[in-house]
């Protein structure tokens, strides 16, 4: 069974996901059992291919989680394959202009809203067991997410937000801070706070949903206070690293206590 349409979930309130970089059904099952709402399968910073991604989306579906694919680039083939394999949408990094966003929407949507190539012999269309009104339903359900992590995108944000078919403006704190020449990624009290709040204000004015990466409780609370619907908390790699670091700290503490006692 496919999970409930992602846009419907976003409209109902904040959804919490995580970046998935590891090709492992067990990892995705653990995320689903832990209670995550969605996953963002990361093809930008990994060597994942589309065959792997399709399997990952299947596992997420079985656990009621939506899947967004962060594609490696904004090419027609990358966006087409990410959509055909049955994901809820695409997340495109390194966006620079409104024209680029219009092109992304065009590639992600079927005619008359776009120019996505049509076949029914893929997972999104049920391999030929195609629902009635498939193309219209796909156009309505497809979630288009773009990153605001370049100076150009930040400066032209109003123009980006005016693009019809763009759903979520995602704030990438690390890349954004580097591009703006800001030290650190603290967007609550640091130098990045003003640009991030400016992005959120622009999204609200334009009626676009915002998304943001969070790494701790304070940032998650900020996201909830700002009513950000699309929240991506760390990644499977970061979660695993944090658990391992905590385990090693406990190990060293126990060893020290044991040594002192003996």
């Amino acid at each position: 069974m496919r999970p409930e349409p992602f846009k419907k979930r976003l409209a109902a309130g904040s959804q919490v996901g995580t970046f998935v970089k590891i090709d492992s059904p067990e990892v995705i099952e653990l995320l689903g059992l832990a209670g995550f709402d969605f996953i963002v399968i990361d093809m930008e910073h990994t060597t994942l291919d589309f065959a792997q991604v399709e399997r990952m989306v299947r596992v997420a579906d079985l656990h009621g989680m939506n899947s967004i694919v962060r594609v490696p680039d904004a090419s027609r083939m990358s966006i087409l394959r990410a959509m055909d394999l049955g994901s809820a949408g695409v997340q495109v990094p390194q966006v620079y202009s409104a024209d680029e966003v219009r092109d992304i929407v065009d590639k992600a949507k079927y005619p008359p809203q776009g120019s996505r190539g049509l076949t029914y012999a893929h997972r999104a269309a049920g391999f030929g067991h195609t629902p009635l009104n498939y193309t219209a339903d796909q156009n309505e359900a497809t979630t288009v997410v773009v990153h605001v992590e370049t100076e150009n995108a930040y400066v032209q944000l109003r123009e980006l937000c005016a693009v019809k078919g763009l759903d979520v403006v995602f704030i990438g704190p690390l890349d954004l801070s580097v591009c703006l020449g800001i030290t650190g990624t603290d967007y609550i009290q640091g130098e990045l706070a003003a640009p991030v709040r400016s992005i959120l204000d622009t999204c609200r004015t334009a009626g676009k949903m915002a998304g943001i990466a969070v790494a701790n409780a304070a940032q998650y609370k900020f996201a909830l206070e700002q009513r950000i619907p699309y929240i991506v908390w760390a990644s499977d790699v970061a979660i695993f690293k944090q658990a391992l670091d905590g385990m090693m700290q406990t190990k060293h503490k126990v060893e020290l206590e044991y040594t002192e006692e003996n």
Side-chain angles (χ1 to χ4, degrees), residues 44 92-98 100-101 146-157 160 170-181 195 199:
E44 181 191 14
V92 184
Q94 295 294 314
V95 169
Y96 290 85
S97 69
E100 189 174 356
V101 176
V146 300
H147 281 235
V148 175
E149 57 184 0
T150 66
E151 185 177 6
N152 281 15
Y154 175 68
V155 171
Q156 299 177 39
L157 185 58
L160 266 67
F170 184 78
I171 301 169
L174 182 57
D175 280 313
L176 183 62
S177 64
V178 171
C179 289
L180 297 182
I199 293 169

Side-chain angles (χ1 to χ4, degrees), residues 35-167:
F36 279 92
D37 300 305
F38 71 101
I39 59 173
V40 182
I41 301 172
D42 187 5
M43 299 186 75
E44 181 191 14
H45 293 297
T46 68
T47 58
L48 292 172
D49 61 37
F50 284 101
Q52 293 170 302
V53 170
E54 185 170 26
R55 291 193 295 269
M56 295 163 77
V57 170
R58 280 196 179 97
V59 178
D61 282 354
L62 289 172
H63 288 275
M65 292 187 295
N66 293 107
S67 299
I68 298 291
V69 180
R70 178 156 75 171
V71 288
D73 52 57
S75 69
R76 181 172 297 278
M77 282 301 98
S78 289
I79 293 173
L80 176 69
R81 289 174 181 175
M83 294 309 308
D84 281 0
L85 58 80
S87 71
V90 290
Q91 182 162 326
V92 184
Q94 295 294 314
V95 169
Y96 290 85
S97 69
D99 284 341
E100 189 174 356
V101 176
R102 276 188 282 271
D103 187 56
I104 290 165
V105 172
D106 177 74
K107 292 169 181 173
K109 304 274 189 168
Y110 288 119
Q113 296 179 31
S115 61
R116 176 181 169 186
L118 178 61
T119 179
Y120 299 122
H122 56 65
R123 184 170 182 270
F127 299 105
H129 298 278
T130 310
L132 293 174
N133 304 315
Y134 164 73
T135 57
D137 290 345
Q138 275 278 293
N139 280 349
E140 177 63 27
T142 295
T143 304
V144 177
V145 185
V146 300
H147 281 235
V148 175
E149 57 184 0
T150 66
E151 185 177 6
N152 281 15
Y154 175 68
V155 171
Q156 299 177 39
L157 185 58
R158 285 186 177 84
E159 289 80 4
L160 266 67
C161 285
V163 176
K164 186 177 180 180
L166 170 63
D167 299 299

